[in-house]
PDB file of all heavy atoms in Angstrom:
ATOM      1  N   ARG A  53     189.702-117.646  13.386  1.00 95.00           N
ATOM      2  CA  ARG A  53     188.996-118.093  14.495  1.00 95.00           C
ATOM      3  C   ARG A  53     188.588-119.679  14.375  1.00 95.00           C
ATOM      4  O   ARG A  53     187.887-120.293  15.241  1.00 95.00           O
ATOM      5  CB  ARG A  53     187.777-117.227  14.691  1.00 95.00           C
ATOM      6  CG  ARG A  53     188.112-115.801  15.118  1.00 95.00           C
ATOM      7  CD  ARG A  53     186.850-115.072  15.777  1.00 95.00           C
ATOM      8  NE  ARG A  53     185.752-114.972  14.684  1.00 95.00           N
ATOM      9  CZ  ARG A  53     185.552-113.950  13.843  1.00 95.00           C
ATOM     10  NH1 ARG A  53     186.305-112.911  13.985  1.00 95.00           N
ATOM     11  NH2 ARG A  53     184.636-113.874  13.057  1.00 95.00           N
ATOM     12  N   GLY A  54     188.795-120.169  13.215  1.00 95.00           N
ATOM     13  CA  GLY A  54     188.432-121.639  12.874  1.00 95.00           C
ATOM     14  C   GLY A  54     186.954-121.728  12.677  1.00 95.00           C
ATOM     15  O   GLY A  54     186.324-122.842  12.726  1.00 95.00           O
ATOM     16  N   GLU A  55     186.336-120.763  12.197  1.00 95.00           N
ATOM     17  CA  GLU A  55     184.848-120.744  11.973  1.00 95.00           C
ATOM     18  C   GLU A  55     184.679-121.060  10.505  1.00 95.00           C
ATOM     19  O   GLU A  55     185.472-120.824   9.672  1.00 95.00           O
ATOM     20  CB  GLU A  55     184.194-119.456  12.392  1.00 95.00           C
ATOM     21  CG  GLU A  55     184.302-119.172  13.798  1.00 95.00           C
ATOM     22  CD  GLU A  55     183.868-117.774  14.154  1.00 95.00           C
ATOM     23  OE1 GLU A  55     183.363-117.043  13.371  1.00 95.00           O
ATOM     24  OE2 GLU A  55     184.011-117.417  15.451  1.00 95.00           O
ATOM     25  N   LYS A  56     183.381-121.398  10.178  1.00 95.00           N
ATOM     26  CA  LYS A  56     182.981-121.626   8.762  1.00 95.00           C
ATOM     27  C   LYS A  56     182.920-120.386   8.134  1.00 95.00           C
ATOM     28  O   LYS A  56     182.328-119.409   8.465  1.00 95.00           O
ATOM     29  CB  LYS A  56     181.616-122.305   8.880  1.00 95.00           C
ATOM     30  CG  LYS A  56     180.939-122.723   7.519  1.00 95.00           C
ATOM     31  CD  LYS A  56     179.646-123.317   7.593  1.00 95.00           C
ATOM     32  CE  LYS A  56     178.649-122.211   7.205  1.00 95.00           C
ATOM     33  NZ  LYS A  56     178.712-121.719   5.777  1.00 95.00           N
ATOM     34  N   VAL A  57     183.500-120.482   6.787  1.00 96.00           N
ATOM     35  CA  VAL A  57     183.547-119.317   5.992  1.00 96.00           C
ATOM     36  C   VAL A  57     182.125-119.229   5.283  1.00 96.00           C
ATOM     37  O   VAL A  57     181.399-120.143   5.116  1.00 96.00           O
ATOM     38  CB  VAL A  57     184.529-119.332   4.869  1.00 96.00           C
ATOM     39  CG1 VAL A  57     185.925-119.291   5.500  1.00 96.00           C
ATOM     40  CG2 VAL A  57     184.383-120.439   3.930  1.00 96.00           C
ATOM     41  N   PRO A  58     181.680-117.877   4.973  1.00 97.00           N
ATOM     42  CA  PRO A  58     180.386-117.713   4.297  1.00 97.00           C
ATOM     43  C   PRO A  58     180.339-118.599   3.012  1.00 97.00           C
ATOM     44  O   PRO A  58     181.274-118.792   2.281  1.00 97.00           O
ATOM     45  CB  PRO A  58     180.364-116.217   3.945  1.00 97.00           C
ATOM     46  CG  PRO A  58     181.274-115.656   4.894  1.00 97.00           C
ATOM     47  CD  PRO A  58     182.355-116.581   5.099  1.00 97.00           C
ATOM     48  N   HIS A  59     179.063-118.992   2.659  1.00 98.00           N
ATOM     49  CA  HIS A  59     178.734-119.842   1.526  1.00 98.00           C
ATOM     50  C   HIS A  59     177.593-119.238   0.729  1.00 98.00           C
ATOM     51  O   HIS A  59     176.573-119.157   1.271  1.00 98.00           O
ATOM     52  CB  HIS A  59     178.470-121.282   1.958  1.00 98.00           C
ATOM     53  CG  HIS A  59     178.266-122.278   0.827  1.00 98.00           C
ATOM     54  ND1 HIS A  59     178.362-123.662   1.153  1.00 98.00           N
ATOM     55  CD2 HIS A  59     178.192-122.112  -0.364  1.00 98.00           C
ATOM     56  CE1 HIS A  59     178.163-124.435  -0.105  1.00 98.00           C
ATOM     57  NE2 HIS A  59     178.061-123.464  -1.065  1.00 98.00           N
ATOM     58  N   LEU A  60     178.040-118.834  -0.562  1.00 97.00           N
ATOM     59  CA  LEU A  60     176.819-118.310  -1.421  1.00 97.00           C
ATOM     60  C   LEU A  60     176.550-119.296  -2.529  1.00 97.00           C
ATOM     61  O   LEU A  60     177.500-119.771  -3.181  1.00 97.00           O
ATOM     62  CB  LEU A  60     177.306-116.959  -1.978  1.00 97.00           C
ATOM     63  CG  LEU A  60     176.486-116.361  -3.075  1.00 97.00           C
ATOM     64  CD1 LEU A  60     175.130-115.805  -2.507  1.00 97.00           C
ATOM     65  CD2 LEU A  60     177.160-115.141  -3.625  1.00 97.00           C
ATOM     66  N   ALA A  61     175.221-119.509  -2.734  1.00 97.00           N
ATOM     67  CA  ALA A  61     174.819-120.501  -3.831  1.00 97.00           C
ATOM     68  C   ALA A  61     174.061-119.656  -4.832  1.00 97.00           C
ATOM     69  O   ALA A  61     173.393-118.736  -4.505  1.00 97.00           O
ATOM     70  CB  ALA A  61     174.117-121.649  -3.314  1.00 97.00           C
ATOM     71  N   ALA A  62     173.915-120.194  -6.016  1.00 96.00           N
ATOM     72  CA  ALA A  62     173.127-119.566  -7.164  1.00 96.00           C
ATOM     73  C   ALA A  62     172.464-120.756  -7.954  1.00 96.00           C
ATOM     74  O   ALA A  62     173.045-121.702  -8.107  1.00 96.00           O
ATOM     75  CB  ALA A  62     173.894-118.786  -8.151  1.00 96.00           C
ATOM     76  N   ILE A  63     171.206-120.515  -8.159  1.00 96.00           N
ATOM     77  CA  ILE A  63     170.341-121.399  -8.984  1.00 96.00           C
ATOM     78  C   ILE A  63     170.198-120.677 -10.399  1.00 96.00           C
ATOM     79  O   ILE A  63     169.707-119.519 -10.406  1.00 96.00           O
ATOM     80  CB  ILE A  63     169.005-121.721  -8.470  1.00 96.00           C
ATOM     81  CG1 ILE A  63     169.052-122.586  -7.222  1.00 96.00           C
ATOM     82  CG2 ILE A  63     168.253-122.595  -9.480  1.00 96.00           C
ATOM     83  CD1 ILE A  63     167.821-122.770  -6.440  1.00 96.00           C
ATOM     84  N   ILE A  64     170.622-121.329 -11.437  1.00 95.00           N
ATOM     85  CA  ILE A  64     170.341-120.653 -12.775  1.00 95.00           C
ATOM     86  C   ILE A  64     169.636-121.686 -13.672  1.00 95.00           C
ATOM     87  O   ILE A  64     169.815-122.862 -13.753  1.00 95.00           O
ATOM     88  CB  ILE A  64     171.645-120.214 -13.427  1.00 95.00           C
ATOM     89  CG1 ILE A  64     171.392-119.651 -14.805  1.00 95.00           C
ATOM     90  CG2 ILE A  64     172.648-121.444 -13.680  1.00 95.00           C
ATOM     91  CD1 ILE A  64     172.538-118.761 -15.449  1.00 95.00           C
TER      92      ILE A  64
END
Side-chain angles (χ1 to χ4, degrees):
R53 293 195 298 263
E55 295 170 7
K56 185 186 99 60
V57 299
H59 186 165
L60 173 65
I63 299 173
I64 184 165

